[in-house]
Amino acid sequence: FYLPHLAYEEVEADIVTSARRMMDEFRAGIQGYDNHEGTVISGVPYAEILKAAEEHDADLIVMGTHGLTGVVHLLFGSTAERVLRHADCPVMTVRPEAE
């Protein structure tokens, strides 16, 4: 049984490329607003969101939430919840549309 060697840097580069593509597609769908930014950052999600908001002197953080509950929420926590608790500006969370 052989697993090919994948360098961490290559895997991270692929993830960043995919994330940038998804961000570009998302931003292309936003019409009528030109005062938004999109960026891809690696790190601990809630800490990086808070850091970016501070660096950009953000007026508002808008972020999605999966709405996890119960044991899953207890074990993994919530990025949105951590951002809400520690942000210096208002935070608006958006849940995905019901299927």
Side-chain angles (χ1 to χ4, degrees), residues 8-61:
Y8 172 77
E9 293 81 14
E10 291 176 31
V11 173
E12 184 177 27
D14 288 345
I15 292 170
V16 169
T17 299
S18 295
R20 284 193 176 124
R21 187 178 328 110
M22 287 188 290
M23 179 63 72
D24 290 344
E25 290 173 8
F26 173 76
R27 291 182 69 214
I30 300 173
Q31 298 184 10
Y33 300 96
D34 59 0
N35 62 342
H36 63 276
E37 294 181 30
T39 187
V40 176
I41 301 170
S42 296
V44 177
Y46 82 92
E48 294 299 331
I49 292 167
L50 293 170
K51 187 167 95 178
E54 185 176 324
E55 288 173 358
H56 294 280
D57 195 27
D59 296 319
L60 174 68
I61 299 170

